[in-house]
Amino acid sequence: MGWLSMQRGHMGGHATPKAYLDAQFTYDRKYDDGSTYAMRVLESACVGNRVWYAATRVERSGQEPYVIALVCLVRWTPNAKDGFLFAYKDMEESMGPCEAECPERILRRLTPTTNRHALDWRERCRARLRLRSRKIEDGMRIRLAAPLTFTDGFVGSDFIVVKKGASLSFRPVEGHGRYGIRNFRTLAYEVVPQLKVHRTVFAPPA
């Protein structure tokens, strides 16, 4: 399916992409032969107003209900000059979306599947969550798997972490200044052990 774009008047009174998509994918249908099909959004998140992830319960007549992940790419431009402030493109996990930042609380609600594309997508999401959960401490020395080039021309892979609260910056091991590294928590890196020299304490004279 391609992108579906709309103006605010077509959002059914919903103020945000998340609210609209939660409602859009919650519905009941009854067919002429008496069969039914329903979807229920159980849990959702619109990460950065860029990607909507949802655990969605599917109910078909004559079948056991099951829960799958839906993924929607989102374009949200409230100040769009042409009035088309919202657009989305939907897909199921069985389509193997490239986007794989689904929150753990949504992944936990999905029922088991044998679909290889869905399994691969779920594992990519969990791998990203494992990367983001790594402990990062002030003063830690890290080595990126691939050097980064910064806007001032500096190229480096070895940095000392400077952590103040939730804020992270990085001081080059060989160089000056501090740098921000976008999406650092999802990058591949290793922690470089540092030799710590302890102060020598002499015993007082007898």
Side-chain angles (χ1 to χ4, degrees):
M1 182 177 177
W3 286 86
L4 178 63
S5 302
M6 65 190 73
Q7 297 176 317
R8 186 174 293 279
H10 295 103
M11 290 184 65
H14 301 291
T16 64
K18 180 182 183 301
Y20 175 88
L21 293 169
D22 286 355
Q24 180 72 6
F25 292 98
T26 297
Y27 57 82
D28 293 273
R29 291 175 182 167
K30 187 172 183 178
Y31 301 101
D32 293 339
D33 61 1
S35 61
T36 59
Y37 181 87
M39 295 189 78
R40 299 277 185 277
V41 173
L42 305 177
E43 189 101 30
S44 73
C46 196
V47 179
N49 269 342
R50 295 180 301 103
V51 187
W52 177 82
Y53 299 94
T56 310
R57 179 182 172 93
V58 179
E59 301 172 2
R60 299 176 187 267
S61 52
Q63 295 184 17
E64 285 293 322
Y66 56 94
V67 181
I68 61 171
L70 296 183
V71 179
C72 286
L73 306 184
V74 171
R75 292 175 184 162
W76 178 242
T77 50
N79 298 319
K81 293 182 179 179
D82 61 1
F84 285 88
L85 74 170
F86 175 48
Y88 73 94
K89 179 179 181 180
D90 64 284
M91 62 195 87
E92 294 184 5
E93 59 175 331
S94 60
M95 299 170 68
C98 294
E99 293 69 27
E101 297 183 28
C102 185
E104 184 178 5
R105 59 187 171 84
I106 293 174
L107 292 172
R108 283 199 302 262
R109 304 199 71 159
L110 307 180
T111 51
T113 181
T114 57
N115 183 281
R116 64 184 181 89
H117 296 298
L119 290 171
D120 173 71
W121 178 80
R122 293 181 188 188
E123 178 51 35
R124 283 189 285 119
C125 289
R126 293 190 177 100
R128 186 174 288 267
L129 286 169
R130 288 193 293 270
L131 287 176
R132 295 187 67 86
S133 67
R134 291 174 295 180
K135 189 174 182 180
I136 301 172
E137 297 179 339
D138 182 60
M140 176 185 289
R141 178 171 175 173
I142 57 101
R143 176 172 296 145
L144 300 174
L148 294 180
T149 302
F150 296 87
T151 55
D152 63 356
F154 175 77
V155 179
S157 58
D158 286 44
F159 297 88
I160 302 297
V161 175
V162 180
K163 185 177 182 182
K164 292 185 177 180
S167 175
L168 291 176
S169 60
F170 300 86
R171 176 169 52 84
V173 173
E174 297 182 2
H176 304 282
R178 293 183 187 178
Y179 295 90
I181 299 178
R182 187 177 181 182
N183 297 324
F184 168 73
R185 291 181 180 273
T186 61
L187 294 180
Y189 68 84
E190 63 176 322
V191 177
V192 180
Q194 299 183 70
L195 178 64
K196 294 185 178 180
V197 179
H198 298 280
R199 183 171 61 89
T200 302
V201 179
F202 296 96

